[in-house]
Amino acid sequence: METYLIKTGFFKREERIKNPADFKKLFKCGKKISIPGAKMYFLENSLGINRVGFPLISGYGNAVERNLSKRYSREVYRLLKSHLNTGYDILFLIFPGKDSFNSRCEQIRLLCQKAGLLKEDASSIASE
């Protein structure tokens, strides 16, 4: 499976959601998109950049599985972020299951496509 993703450099600190109040606001007020194995909450921000968080549900395996899951999610987002519209706070909530880079890539791409966050020129990427 080809990923059709572009390397976009580092995943910068200002692109991360760290404040617990921001997480609560997204869970309470954000729009929710669901697919099997993952959910995405998103809300417009006034920053001009996307901020993203990767919370895991309680009971998600051991520390090694949690860290691997977050690492996959961060890497897929980093590669996909050049194809996303900017100005959103986004949470990707991943559930336990098959963890591989390709499955995570498909999950996050599908969530962004369903939410309408992909840029117009990236619509062909989402369908492949």
Side-chain angles (χ1 to χ4, degrees):
M1 176 181 150
E2 295 184 43
T3 56
Y4 299 104
L5 301 174
I6 299 172
K7 291 191 177 186
T8 57
F10 297 105
F11 185 51
K12 299 176 184 168
R13 182 173 296 273
E14 60 266 9
E15 294 180 84
R16 297 179 185 169
I17 298 174
K18 292 284 191 179
N19 189 349
D22 291 337
F23 278 94
K24 288 179 184 177
K25 181 179 177 184
L26 273 166
F27 280 122
K28 184 176 180 181
C29 304
K31 296 178 185 173
K32 180 175 76 169
I33 304 292
S34 298
I35 62 168
K39 285 184 185 177
M40 180 175 82
Y41 294 85
F42 66 101
L43 191 62
E44 285 190 52
N45 65 28
S46 58
L47 301 175
I49 62 168
N50 286 339
R51 295 188 313 158
V52 66
F54 302 99
L56 295 173
I57 64 167
S58 59
Y60 192 108
N62 60 25
V64 173
E65 292 169 344
R66 289 190 300 271
N67 290 336
L68 183 63
S69 178
K70 284 187 173 187
R71 191 174 300 129
Y72 283 152
S73 298
R74 279 193 304 264
E75 182 64 11
V76 170
Y77 174 78
R78 186 183 70 84
L79 295 173
L80 189 64
K81 72 180 180 180
S82 65
H83 300 292
L84 298 177
N85 294 320
T86 57
Y88 292 93
D89 286 344
I90 306 168
L91 290 181
F92 292 102
L93 185 62
I94 306 298
F95 298 104
K98 292 186 280 185
D99 253 354
S100 71
F101 182 80
N102 288 336
S103 67
R104 187 60 45 81
C105 186
E106 188 61 33
Q107 285 176 331
I108 291 179
R109 185 181 301 144
L110 185 58
L111 286 168
C112 291
Q113 180 184 11
K114 285 178 78 173
L117 297 181
L118 287 176
K119 293 180 181 175
E120 293 297 323
D121 61 347
S123 60
S124 62
I125 293 169
S127 63
E128 295 179 11

